[in-house]
């Protein structure tokens, strides 16, 4: 053992940077779309070993800063390896996203370091799990939300392992990953001073295998539920950088874009088709669609005529829309002003045109930070000109508080959640549509700005987790990217190819039953937030007690 390469590495003065590099590499290897999720179960082990080595070596003048520094390196590597494709928008924006998100990830790691220091090993390693889950929950709900690397998303490619997400949601997967990491670390933490007893690995191995076995059991017995519903999804494949928007070099007039969508749709529509689904921002015009006047637009009338030609069929599509507030400058925190015109809001919207020519509008509310939303616009509105352009609408968009559902006029059993792009990576958020009555989930997106990278592939795979959590069939329409269908087990049953025009049709099931997760939401995340506050308060008390104990000792020493 003493001559082994592992022994030499562990005893090397480079063990700390090596551990940081290994953590970043293992977490990247375990991330979709590679089917190597097993690496997630050991991804944090080197980082935990690094923290122990830094504290116990006595070689570091400031062990806390050393741990922060190398933890940050590990998190930067993980973020950079997995989300480098964000730089396809702008290189500075991509770099900033990686560096900032890595810094945020260090907050729960430093809280763990502080807690272990003052409350001991048992509570310390429990706090590692609690703080990370609390961080993920918080990261789901603030203005700079970027939960792409929520650990539970790591099983999106191997979703046969996590059919139990219908009970826990994807944060259950995060707990699974963190718990196994801690248990494996506790087995090897004293190496090389003590030999590793392999028989002690039985508990973490059981905790890896048991949920997978349970998941396959659920998969084998679960029967899809609901009413058969024929849905058509369209992928028009209009380049968002060169063709989609006026002013671009190969701009396709908006009338031609709409006609392409209609022509593709009519290739697959039958007398049984209940919904046609078009992608995010499928409808746009230079003067904008003002919601107060929607029925007056010629293009909207053409869409009503299109729906009328197919008696059972209704349309769900994305569009850019505006709402006028007149002189009411306090109507919205994202309000815009045009001199001589008045105040208004811009929205990334979903629109439903039903059999009767009636129109429903939903405003996208989980907005991409730095692209569609400035953080806390009441404070940072002056930063509007710095918004990143991802080939679509730029600047702070308006939003809404409720998750609206689009109901079919002929049968309310057929009800759809209009989930727009980025919203599909939020488990509890999507489940709110279902609680409000959605029996189907429609994901409308524009993944063209990802270019041909892991980004749009991960985005598709994450949607499979939403299907499992809610047990809802999903129809996905992408402008460019991947369009297709996902059943209630999270299986992709049909899909388009990348960067092609396509139209797909499938009969999917409209389910009205609610899962445990849908009814109760992120109960794991909410509980972790409160527990994290208690743990950190306890650590602060421990730090104060420790400091007070040291003061008398210091006074005695000074007298001597």
């Amino acid at each position: 053992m003493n001559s082994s390469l592992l022994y030499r590495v562990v005893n090397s003065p480079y063990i700390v940077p090596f551990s940081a590099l290994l953590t970043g590499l293992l977490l990247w290897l375990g991330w979709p779309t590679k089917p190597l999720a097993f690496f997630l179960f050991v991804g944090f082990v080197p980082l935990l070993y690094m923290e122990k080595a830094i504290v116990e070596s006595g070689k570091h003048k400031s062990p806390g800063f050393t741990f922060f520094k190398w933890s940050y390196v590990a998190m930067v590597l993980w973020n950079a390896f997995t989300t480098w494709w964000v730089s396809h928008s702008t290189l500075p924006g991509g770099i900033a996203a990686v560096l900032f998100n890595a810094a945020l990830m260090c907050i729960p790691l430093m809280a763990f370091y502080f807690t272990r220091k003052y409350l001991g090993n048992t509570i310390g390693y429990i706090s590692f799990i609690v703080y990370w889950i609390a961080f993920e929950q918080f990261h789901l709900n603030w203005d700079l939300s970027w939960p792409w690397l929520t650990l539970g998303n790591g099983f999106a490619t191997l979703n046969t392992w996590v059919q139990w997400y219908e009970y826990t949601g994807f944060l259950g997967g995060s707990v699974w990953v963190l718990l196994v990491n801690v248990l494996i670390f506790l087995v090897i933490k004293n190496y090389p001073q003590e030999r590793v007893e392999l028989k002690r690995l039985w508990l973490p191995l059981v905790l890896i295998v048991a949920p997978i076995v349970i998941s396959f059991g659920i998969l084998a017995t679960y029967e899809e539920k609901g009413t058969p519903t024929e849905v058509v999804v369209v992928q028009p494949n209009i380049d968002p950088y060169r063709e989609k928007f006026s002013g671009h070099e190969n701009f396709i007039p908006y009338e031609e874009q709409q006609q392409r969508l209609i022509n593709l749709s009519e290739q697959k529509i039958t007398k049984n088709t209940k919904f046609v689904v078009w992608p995010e921002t499928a409808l746009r015009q230079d003067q904008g669609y003002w919601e107060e006047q929607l029925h007056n637009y010629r293009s909207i009338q053409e869409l009503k005529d299109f729906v009328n030609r197919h008696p059972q069929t209704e349309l769900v599509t994305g569009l850019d829309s505006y709402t006028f507030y007149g002189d009411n400058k306090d109507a919205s925190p994202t309000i815009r002003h045009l001199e001589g015109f008045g105040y208004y809001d811009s929205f990334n919207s979903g629109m439903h045109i039903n059999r009767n020519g009636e129109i429903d509008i939903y405003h996208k509310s989980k907005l991409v930070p730095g692209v569609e939303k400035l953080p806390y616009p009441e404070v940072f509105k002056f930063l509007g000109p710095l918004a990143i352009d991802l080939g679509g609408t730029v600047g702070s968009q308006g939003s809404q508080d409720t998750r609206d559902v689009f109901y079919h006029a002929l049968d309310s059993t057929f009800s759809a959640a209009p989930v727009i792009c980025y919203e599909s990576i939020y488990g509890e958020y999507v489940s709110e549509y279902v609680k409000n009555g959605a029996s189907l989930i429609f994901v409308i997106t524009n993944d063209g700005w990802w270019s041909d990278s892991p980004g749009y592939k991960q985005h598709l795979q994450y949607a499979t987790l939403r299907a499992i959590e809610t047990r809802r069939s999903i129809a996905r329409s992408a402008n460019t990217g991947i369009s297709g269908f996902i059943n209630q087990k999270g299986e992709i049953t049909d899909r388009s190819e990348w960067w092609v025009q396509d139209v797909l049709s499938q009969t999917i099931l409209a389910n009205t039953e609610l899962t445990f997760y849908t009814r109760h939401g992120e109960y794991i995340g909410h509980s972790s937030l409160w527990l994290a506050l208690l743990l950190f308060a306890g650590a602060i008390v421990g730090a104060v007690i420790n400091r007070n104990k040291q003061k008398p000792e210091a006074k005695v020493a000074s007298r001597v």
Side-chain angles (χ1 to χ4, degrees), residues 313-514:
T313 303
E314 299 186 350
L315 174 66
V316 174
T317 180
L319 84 161
D320 288 331
S321 68
Y322 302 88
T323 290
F324 182 59
Y325 300 126
D327 295 327
N328 185 3
K329 63 181 180 180
D330 299 318
S332 163
T334 56
I335 203 164
R336 304 178 181 206
H337 182 249
L338 185 62
E339 192 67 34
F341 176 74
Y343 294 92
Y344 68 100
D345 241 336
S346 172
F347 300 98
N348 185 347
S349 301
M351 181 176 70
H352 170 221
I353 301 179
N354 72 13
R355 282 283 336 115
N356 304 319
E358 298 167 337
I359 296 176
D360 302 311
I361 296 289
Y362 164 74
H363 299 139
K364 181 181 180 182
S365 299
K366 281 294 187 182
L367 302 169
V368 183
V371 182
E372 297 172 314
K373 184 179 183 67
L374 291 175
Y376 304 101
E378 302 90 341
V379 179
F380 297 111
K381 193 169 185 177
F382 67 95
L383 294 176
L386 302 180
I388 301 170
D389 185 356
L390 295 181
T393 305
V394 182
S396 276
Q397 304 291 290
S399 60
Q400 65 177 64
D401 295 328
T402 58
R403 307 286 74 77
D404 291 345
V405 176
F406 294 158
Y407 290 89
H408 198 284
L410 296 180
D411 188 342
S412 61
T413 301
F414 307 121
S415 52
V419 181
I420 304 177
C421 190
Y422 189 59
E423 294 180 329
S424 66
I425 65 173
Y426 292 85
E428 185 176 45
Y429 186 89
V430 172
S431 74
E432 289 174 3
Y433 291 101
V434 176
K435 283 198 291 187
N436 287 344
S439 59
L440 300 163
I441 294 173
F442 295 165
V443 176
I444 60 176
T445 185
N446 177 13
D447 290 349
W449 68 269
W450 318 86
S451 191
D452 193 3
S453 71
Y456 73 89
K457 300 172 186 176
Q458 291 169 358
H459 196 205
L460 169 69
Q461 293 292 340
Y462 290 175
T464 69
L465 302 180
R466 306 292 85 81
I468 294 169
E469 289 167 346
T470 61
R471 294 303 182 188
R472 290 297 185 269
S473 302
I474 295 178
R476 189 176 196 270
S477 173
N479 172 43
T480 54
I482 303 176
S483 302
F485 296 94
I486 302 169
N487 67 18
Q488 295 168 16
K489 299 179 181 180
E491 299 166 334
I492 299 172
T493 54
D494 196 9
R495 51 168 287 174
S496 67
E497 297 301 321
W498 161 257
W499 210 263
V500 295
Q501 287 185 40
D502 207 349
V503 55
L504 305 171
S505 176
Q506 191 170 110
T507 297
I508 57 180
L509 297 180
N511 184 18
T512 58
E513 295 185 11
L514 299 183

Side-chain angles (χ1 to χ4, degrees), residues 167-441:
Y167 300 101
T168 70
F170 66 153
L171 289 186
S174 297
V175 173
W176 188 29
V177 167
L178 294 165
L179 180 59
V180 172
N181 269 275
V182 168
L183 291 174
I184 292 176
F185 163 72
L186 292 176
V187 173
I188 63 99
K189 67 185 178 70
N190 293 322
Y191 181 83
Q193 289 78 17
E194 299 177 9
R195 291 177 60 90
V196 175
E197 297 181 27
L198 296 180
K199 63 182 181 181
R200 293 178 58 202
L201 288 170
W202 72 268
L203 180 56
L205 288 176
V206 167
L207 286 177
I208 291 173
V209 173
I212 296 174
V213 171
I214 292 171
S215 180
F216 275 101
I218 295 173
L219 190 63
T221 57
Y222 179 79
E223 294 184 4
E224 291 192 83
K225 306 175 180 67
T227 306
T229 314
E230 186 178 292
V231 179
V232 170
V233 297
V234 177
Q235 179 167 297
N237 197 48
I238 300 170
D239 188 334
Y241 285 120
R242 287 177 286 274
E243 298 177 335
K244 188 167 179 58
F245 304 105
S246 62
H248 290 178
E249 56 185 304
N250 297 316
F251 171 60
I252 300 173
Y254 294 122
E255 297 81 2
E256 292 183 23
Q257 294 185 34
Q258 179 167 306
Q259 193 58 49
R260 178 186 295 187
L261 288 159
I262 292 173
N263 292 343
L264 286 168
S265 302
E266 292 188 323
Q267 293 177 18
K268 291 288 186 175
I269 290 176
T270 72
K271 63 180 181 180
N272 297 318
T273 302
K274 295 297 187 295
F275 288 105
V276 170
V277 187
W278 292 353
E280 179 186 20
T281 65
L283 305 181
R284 184 184 172 97
Q285 60 179 21
D286 287 330
Q287 290 76 34
Y289 283 101
W290 293 92
E291 295 180 7
E292 297 80 6
Q293 304 175 27
L294 273 178
H295 292 278
N296 299 331
Y297 290 101
R298 178 180 176 182
S299 57
I300 299 298
Q301 186 56 53
E302 289 175 352
L303 294 179
K304 291 182 181 181
D305 293 341
F306 161 66
V307 170
N308 286 334
R309 290 199 297 272
H310 308 283
Q312 300 292 327
T313 303
E314 299 186 350
L315 174 66
V316 174
T317 180
L319 84 161
D320 288 331
S321 68
Y322 302 88
T323 290
F324 182 59
Y325 300 126
D327 295 327
N328 185 3
K329 63 181 180 180
D330 299 318
S332 163
T334 56
I335 203 164
R336 304 178 181 206
H337 182 249
L338 185 62
E339 192 67 34
F341 176 74
Y343 294 92
Y344 68 100
D345 241 336
S346 172
F347 300 98
N348 185 347
S349 301
M351 181 176 70
H352 170 221
I353 301 179
N354 72 13
R355 282 283 336 115
N356 304 319
E358 298 167 337
I359 296 176
D360 302 311
I361 296 289
Y362 164 74
H363 299 139
K364 181 181 180 182
S365 299
K366 281 294 187 182
L367 302 169
V368 183
V371 182
E372 297 172 314
K373 184 179 183 67
L374 291 175
Y376 304 101
E378 302 90 341
V379 179
F380 297 111
K381 193 169 185 177
F382 67 95
L383 294 176
L386 302 180
I388 301 170
D389 185 356
L390 295 181
T393 305
V394 182
S396 276
Q397 304 291 290
S399 60
Q400 65 177 64
D401 295 328
T402 58
R403 307 286 74 77
D404 291 345
V405 176
F406 294 158
Y407 290 89
H408 198 284
L410 296 180
D411 188 342
S412 61
T413 301
F414 307 121
S415 52
V419 181
I420 304 177
C421 190
Y422 189 59
E423 294 180 329
S424 66
I425 65 173
Y426 292 85
E428 185 176 45
Y429 186 89
V430 172
S431 74
E432 289 174 3
Y433 291 101
V434 176
K435 283 198 291 187
N436 287 344
S439 59
L440 300 163
I441 294 173

